[in-house]
Amino acid sequence: MVSAPSVREALEKAQFASLAGFDLRALRPAGPSALYWEEGAQAGVEVRHTFVRRDVPLSRRRWQFDTRREHQAALDGEA
């Protein structure tokens, strides 16, 4: 578990374990990494896009869903 004031700082502090001798950091794709977070979280980066998702269950019996806001930004300062 990592404690940090923002999502970006938590990712920078995180220690990722290897899986059977394979370094998981080797899976990182080329180009900028995207960060997604829900409204209300401190990300530590400027919002690039905001998406409205309708995926919060209100009533499973009637298949009704409420909205939530999800923000996105590039971690490497590009997008």
Side-chain angles (χ1 to χ4, degrees), residues 54-67:
R54 186 171 286 279
D55 59 3
V56 179
L58 286 175
S59 170
R60 292 188 185 275
R61 198 169 136 227
R62 295 186 196 182
W63 287 98
Q64 292 176 327
F65 297 87
D66 201 359
T67 59

Side-chain angles (χ1 to χ4, degrees), residues 2-71:
V2 175
S3 293
S6 71
V7 175
R8 181 183 186 136
E9 290 178 59
L11 289 172
E12 289 171 353
K13 288 181 179 181
Q15 298 289 322
F16 296 98
S18 62
L19 181 63
F22 184 76
D23 186 1
L24 295 178
R25 289 175 292 189
L27 296 176
R28 183 179 171 158
S33 298
L35 175 64
Y36 293 84
W37 68 97
E38 288 188 13
E39 191 167 59
Q42 294 299 319
V45 293
E46 188 174 329
V47 174
R48 175 78 180 193
H49 299 284
T50 298
F51 304 96
V52 177
R53 307 286 189 200
R54 186 171 286 279
D55 59 3
V56 179
L58 286 175
S59 170
R60 292 188 185 275
R61 198 169 136 227
R62 295 186 196 182
W63 287 98
Q64 292 176 327
F65 297 87
D66 201 359
T67 59
R68 68 177 175 90
R69 293 187 181 280
E70 181 179 82
H71 304 296

